[in-house]
Amino acid sequence: MEKTASTSHALKGSFAIVMASFLWGTTGTAAQFAPEISPLAIGAFAMGIGGVLLCVSARKSLFKDTRILFLKPLTFLFGSACVAIYPLAFYSSMRLSGVAIGTVVSIASAPLFAALLEYVLSKKPVSLKWFISFVFGAMGIGLLAMGKSQSMLTLAASQHDQVLGVILGLTAGLTYAGYSWAAKQHIDAGANSQSAMAGLFGCAALVLLPSLWFTGQNLFANTVHTSVSLYMAVVPMYLGYLLFGYGLRTTEASKATLITLIEPLVATLFAIFIIGEVFKPVGWVGMTLVCFCLLIQSIKLPSAFEGTRHKATT
């Protein structure tokens, strides 16, 4: 009975992360409606306001769990710094190298960085199921990028911008994995999932929101800009990270970031059906592989494989 309940909680956690990834997948399409807004401004506003909303909604549990969060001050500061850097790197990467490449590099690199952080900092071995899922997911994301129409690739102004965009995408992947790992550490130490996410995001907001004095001139220039800014802050950031925090209660950071490979899949589908992008057949193969990656995460490996993995890690 206890094992059944545990499996049920794990499935709910994975589903919550899938829903969060779906919401995050809408950000690229939403940003296309306001290209005049600086990527630094949209990232700082969305993550900063999202952090404030998380703190307000989790104020009771956050006050109660403050002591737990500060038991690991370096982990807390590391996670907060990652939250502050992530949106700036992510949205700048998409602006410099194009939405397709920026999203693919940022999201596809996160599971690898998360597994490395867990291995180096938490001494957790990489499971066979994770490795198999990562291979299919990485192949799928690569084919998704190849499936984008060539016209999208011309959005990058120069080869230098393209390279810089990829570097920023890798930075985004590392920081995304970093704050996922930090949040998981606090949750495992006994903090409520909302408290863990709210604490990290609230601390990051202290840096992000003041930066809007220099970058946020166009955030509310017209109705479209205002709608896009508020949507990004409330739906993908606030609601998305509530769901992500809930999922981290029963999901390792490496697995959680692997599941979020659904984000570029969702972003691509929105681009096709809303923006009207042309998509090559190879891209649909990529979508299938990403779905297969998620399917592997939702099933249990045969006992023979599990036994092999157990012997390898003992």
Side-chain angles (χ1 to χ4, degrees):
M1 180 70 94
E2 184 178 341
K3 185 176 181 180
T4 302
S6 177
T7 302
S8 175
H9 289 151
L11 288 175
K12 288 179 180 178
S14 296
F15 181 72
I17 295 171
V18 168
M19 290 303 299
S21 303
F22 179 87
L23 295 180
W24 295 336
T26 66
T27 57
T29 299
Q32 289 294 308
F33 291 99
E36 297 85 5
I37 300 179
S38 162
L40 297 178
I42 196 69
F45 181 81
M47 218 67 154
I49 296 299
V52 171
L53 293 175
L54 284 171
C55 286
V56 171
S57 64
R59 58 190 181 278
K60 292 182 180 179
S61 60
L62 182 59
F63 180 77
K64 187 189 307 181
D65 292 337
T66 299
R67 182 186 61 83
I68 298 176
L69 297 179
F70 288 161
L71 282 175
K72 297 182 176 181
L74 292 180
T75 299
F76 182 79
L77 291 175
F78 171 72
S80 298
C82 287
V83 172
I85 295 170
Y86 170 75
L88 308 181
F90 179 61
Y91 290 105
S92 296
S93 174
M94 287 196 296
R95 186 64 58 89
L96 288 170
S97 61
V99 174
I101 294 175
T103 304
V104 165
V105 173
S106 301
I107 304 305
S109 63
L112 179 59
F113 285 128
L116 289 175
L117 285 174
E118 287 186 348
Y119 180 77
V120 174
L121 301 178
S122 301
K123 309 303 179 186
K124 290 184 178 179
V126 177
S127 70
L128 175 62
K129 184 162 74 171
W130 182 94
F131 181 78
I132 294 173
S133 295
F134 177 76
V135 170
F136 281 105
M139 290 172 56
I141 293 300
L143 293 178
L144 274 175
M146 293 170 60
K148 288 282 188 177
S149 62
Q150 291 299 316
S151 60
M152 289 297 292
L153 299 179
T154 62
L155 290 177
S158 67
Q159 188 66 29
H160 177 267
D161 286 348
Q162 187 105 328
V163 173
L164 181 57
V166 170
I167 293 173
L168 287 171
L170 291 172
T171 303
L174 175 60
T175 51
Y176 174 33
Y179 71 72
S180 299
W181 174 83
K184 180 63 175 175
Q185 298 308 299
H186 292 308
I187 292 171
D188 288 347
N192 182 278
S193 60
Q194 290 188 30
S195 302
M197 298 305 294
L200 297 179
F201 277 62
C203 186
L206 297 176
V207 176
L208 292 172
L209 292 180
S211 72
L212 293 174
W213 178 265
F214 305 99
T215 63
Q217 294 85 356
N218 293 325
L219 278 172
F220 305 105
N222 53 51
T223 305
V224 173
H225 284 198
T226 301
S227 300
V228 169
S229 300
L230 292 177
Y231 171 81
M232 298 279 270
V234 175
V235 180
M237 295 304 126
Y238 172 59
L239 294 179
Y241 280 101
L242 273 182
L243 290 167
F244 188 67
Y246 174 81
L248 282 177
R249 291 166 57 185
T250 56
T251 309
E252 295 295 337
S254 56
K255 179 180 177 181
T257 52
L258 191 63
I259 293 173
T260 58
L261 289 177
I262 195 176
E263 180 182 341
L265 172 63
V266 172
T268 299
L269 291 174
F270 270 92
I272 292 172
F273 294 110
I274 296 180
I275 299 178
E277 289 185 12
V278 178
F279 213 63
K280 301 175 186 176
V282 68
W284 295 102
V285 177
M287 290 187 191
T288 303
L289 290 178
V290 173
C291 291
F292 193 60
C293 160
L294 298 173
L295 177 64
I296 292 173
Q297 281 301 313
S298 66
I299 63 176
K300 186 176 181 180
L301 285 175
S303 57
F305 285 104
E306 289 294 329
T308 301
R309 183 176 69 84
H310 178 73
K311 291 178 181 178
T313 57
T314 54

